[in-house]
PDB file of all heavy atoms in Angstrom:
ATOM      1  N   PRO A1437      98.030  88.460 102.261  1.00  0.00           N
ATOM      2  CA  PRO A1437      98.491  89.058 103.515  1.00  0.00           C
ATOM      3  C   PRO A1437      98.842  88.027 104.588  1.00  0.00           C
ATOM      4  O   PRO A1437      98.189  86.983 104.723  1.00  0.00           O
ATOM      5  CB  PRO A1437      97.313  89.928 103.943  1.00  0.00           C
ATOM      6  CG  PRO A1437      96.665  90.314 102.650  1.00  0.00           C
ATOM      7  CD  PRO A1437      96.782  89.081 101.792  1.00  0.00           C
ATOM      8  N   GLY A1438      99.878  88.364 105.357  1.00  0.00           N
ATOM      9  CA  GLY A1438     100.298  87.502 106.443  1.00  0.00           C
ATOM     10  C   GLY A1438      99.327  87.522 107.608  1.00  0.00           C
ATOM     11  O   GLY A1438      99.203  86.539 108.344  1.00  0.00           O
ATOM     12  N   ALA A1439      98.638  88.651 107.772  1.00  0.00           N
ATOM     13  CA  ALA A1439      97.602  88.735 108.810  1.00  0.00           C
ATOM     14  C   ALA A1439      96.350  88.038 108.272  1.00  0.00           C
ATOM     15  O   ALA A1439      95.741  88.500 107.304  1.00  0.00           O
ATOM     16  CB  ALA A1439      97.305  90.186 109.142  1.00  0.00           C
ATOM     17  N   GLU A1440      95.973  86.937 108.904  1.00  0.00           N
ATOM     18  CA  GLU A1440      94.884  86.118 108.361  1.00  0.00           C
ATOM     19  C   GLU A1440      93.580  86.891 108.237  1.00  0.00           C
ATOM     20  O   GLU A1440      92.805  86.686 107.292  1.00  0.00           O
ATOM     21  CB  GLU A1440      94.683  84.868 109.230  1.00  0.00           C
ATOM     22  CG  GLU A1440      93.933  83.783 108.502  1.00  0.00           C
ATOM     23  CD  GLU A1440      94.067  82.424 109.164  1.00  0.00           C
ATOM     24  OE1 GLU A1440      95.017  82.199 109.923  1.00  0.00           O
ATOM     25  OE2 GLU A1440      93.184  81.591 108.899  1.00  0.00           O
ATOM     26  N   SER A1441      93.328  87.817 109.161  1.00  0.00           N
ATOM     27  CA  SER A1441      92.087  88.598 109.114  1.00  0.00           C
ATOM     28  C   SER A1441      92.021  89.506 107.890  1.00  0.00           C
ATOM     29  O   SER A1441      90.963  90.031 107.557  1.00  0.00           O
ATOM     30  CB  SER A1441      91.940  89.434 110.386  1.00  0.00           C
ATOM     31  OG  SER A1441      92.981  90.405 110.471  1.00  0.00           O
ATOM     32  N   ARG A1442      93.166  89.676 107.193  1.00  0.00           N
ATOM     33  CA  ARG A1442      93.210  90.569 106.033  1.00  0.00           C
ATOM     34  C   ARG A1442      93.238  89.822 104.702  1.00  0.00           C
ATOM     35  O   ARG A1442      93.250  90.457 103.647  1.00  0.00           O
ATOM     36  CB  ARG A1442      94.438  91.485 106.140  1.00  0.00           C
ATOM     37  CG  ARG A1442      94.457  92.339 107.413  1.00  0.00           C
ATOM     38  CD  ARG A1442      95.428  93.491 107.295  1.00  0.00           C
ATOM     39  NE  ARG A1442      95.034  94.379 106.227  1.00  0.00           N
ATOM     40  CZ  ARG A1442      95.824  95.343 105.736  1.00  0.00           C
ATOM     41  NH1 ARG A1442      97.037  95.491 106.216  1.00  0.00           N
ATOM     42  NH2 ARG A1442      95.402  96.111 104.761  1.00  0.00           N
ATOM     43  N   ARG A1443      93.240  88.501 104.743  1.00  0.00           N
ATOM     44  CA  ARG A1443      93.400  87.728 103.494  1.00  0.00           C
ATOM     45  C   ARG A1443      92.345  88.067 102.440  1.00  0.00           C
ATOM     46  O   ARG A1443      92.650  88.226 101.261  1.00  0.00           O
ATOM     47  CB  ARG A1443      93.347  86.224 103.794  1.00  0.00           C
ATOM     48  CG  ARG A1443      94.481  85.720 104.653  1.00  0.00           C
ATOM     49  CD  ARG A1443      95.590  85.053 103.862  1.00  0.00           C
ATOM     50  NE  ARG A1443      96.795  84.942 104.674  1.00  0.00           N
ATOM     51  CZ  ARG A1443      97.080  83.898 105.442  1.00  0.00           C
ATOM     52  NH1 ARG A1443      96.250  82.869 105.490  1.00  0.00           N
ATOM     53  NH2 ARG A1443      98.202  83.881 106.128  1.00  0.00           N
ATOM     54  N   LYS A1444      91.094  88.179 102.891  1.00  0.00           N
ATOM     55  CA  LYS A1444      90.011  88.407 101.921  1.00  0.00           C
ATOM     56  C   LYS A1444      90.030  89.820 101.343  1.00  0.00           C
ATOM     57  O   LYS A1444      89.407  90.075 100.310  1.00  0.00           O
ATOM     58  CB  LYS A1444      88.660  88.105 102.561  1.00  0.00           C
ATOM     59  CG  LYS A1444      88.441  86.621 102.817  1.00  0.00           C
ATOM     60  CD  LYS A1444      87.070  86.350 103.424  1.00  0.00           C
ATOM     61  CE  LYS A1444      86.871  84.869 103.700  1.00  0.00           C
ATOM     62  NZ  LYS A1444      85.577  84.604 104.378  1.00  0.00           N
ATOM     63  N   GLU A1445      90.736  90.749 102.006  1.00  0.00           N
ATOM     64  CA  GLU A1445      90.847  92.114 101.457  1.00  0.00           C
ATOM     65  C   GLU A1445      91.480  92.093 100.071  1.00  0.00           C
ATOM     66  O   GLU A1445      91.185  92.942  99.228  1.00  0.00           O
ATOM     67  CB  GLU A1445      91.718  92.983 102.355  1.00  0.00           C
ATOM     68  CG  GLU A1445      91.095  93.409 103.654  1.00  0.00           C
ATOM     69  CD  GLU A1445      92.075  94.240 104.471  1.00  0.00           C
ATOM     70  OE1 GLU A1445      92.794  95.052 103.865  1.00  0.00           O
ATOM     71  OE2 GLU A1445      92.129  94.063 105.695  1.00  0.00           O
ATOM     72  N   ALA A1446      92.378  91.131  99.865  1.00  0.00           N
ATOM     73  CA  ALA A1446      93.123  91.077  98.608  1.00  0.00           C
ATOM     74  C   ALA A1446      92.265  90.617  97.432  1.00  0.00           C
ATOM     75  O   ALA A1446      92.679  90.747  96.275  1.00  0.00           O
ATOM     76  CB  ALA A1446      94.337  90.161  98.761  1.00  0.00           C
ATOM     77  N   ILE A1447      91.077  90.080  97.735  1.00  0.00           N
ATOM     78  CA  ILE A1447      90.218  89.596  96.640  1.00  0.00           C
ATOM     79  C   ILE A1447      88.852  90.280  96.643  1.00  0.00           C
ATOM     80  O   ILE A1447      87.897  89.769  96.066  1.00  0.00           O
ATOM     81  CB  ILE A1447      90.047  88.060  96.712  1.00  0.00           C
ATOM     82  CG1 ILE A1447      89.563  87.605  98.091  1.00  0.00           C
ATOM     83  CG2 ILE A1447      91.365  87.362  96.368  1.00  0.00           C
ATOM     84  CD1 ILE A1447      89.190  86.134  98.160  1.00  0.00           C
ATOM     85  N   LEU A1448      88.761  91.434  97.276  1.00  0.00           N
ATOM     86  CA  LEU A1448      87.492  92.165  97.251  1.00  0.00           C
ATOM     87  C   LEU A1448      87.176  92.584  95.815  1.00  0.00           C
ATOM     88  O   LEU A1448      88.039  93.112  95.108  1.00  0.00           O
ATOM     89  CB  LEU A1448      87.569  93.395  98.162  1.00  0.00           C
ATOM     90  CG  LEU A1448      87.510  93.082  99.674  1.00  0.00           C
ATOM     91  CD1 LEU A1448      87.855  94.325 100.483  1.00  0.00           C
ATOM     92  CD2 LEU A1448      86.131  92.565 100.066  1.00  0.00           C
ATOM     93  N   PRO A1449      85.938  92.366  95.363  1.00  0.00           N
ATOM     94  CA  PRO A1449      85.595  92.616  93.955  1.00  0.00           C
ATOM     95  C   PRO A1449      85.888  94.031  93.479  1.00  0.00           C
ATOM     96  O   PRO A1449      86.352  94.219  92.338  1.00  0.00           O
ATOM     97  CB  PRO A1449      84.086  92.320  93.907  1.00  0.00           C
ATOM     98  CG  PRO A1449      83.860  91.353  95.032  1.00  0.00           C
ATOM     99  CD  PRO A1449      84.819  91.755  96.108  1.00  0.00           C
ATOM    100  N   ASP A1450      85.641  95.049  94.323  1.00  0.00           N
ATOM    101  CA  ASP A1450      85.863  96.414  93.838  1.00  0.00           C
ATOM    102  C   ASP A1450      87.340  96.704  93.635  1.00  0.00           C
ATOM    103  O   ASP A1450      87.723  97.429  92.713  1.00  0.00           O
ATOM    104  CB  ASP A1450      85.205  97.451  94.760  1.00  0.00           C
ATOM    105  CG  ASP A1450      85.730  97.420  96.190  1.00  0.00           C
ATOM    106  OD1 ASP A1450      86.386  96.438  96.577  1.00  0.00           O
ATOM    107  OD2 ASP A1450      85.458  98.390  96.928  1.00  0.00           O
TER     108      ASP A1450
END
Side-chain angles (χ1 to χ4, degrees):
E1440 199 163 338
S1441 64
R1442 301 197 62 192
R1443 295 260 164 90
K1444 290 181 181 176
E1445 287 179 39
I1447 53 172
L1448 286 169
D1450 60 345

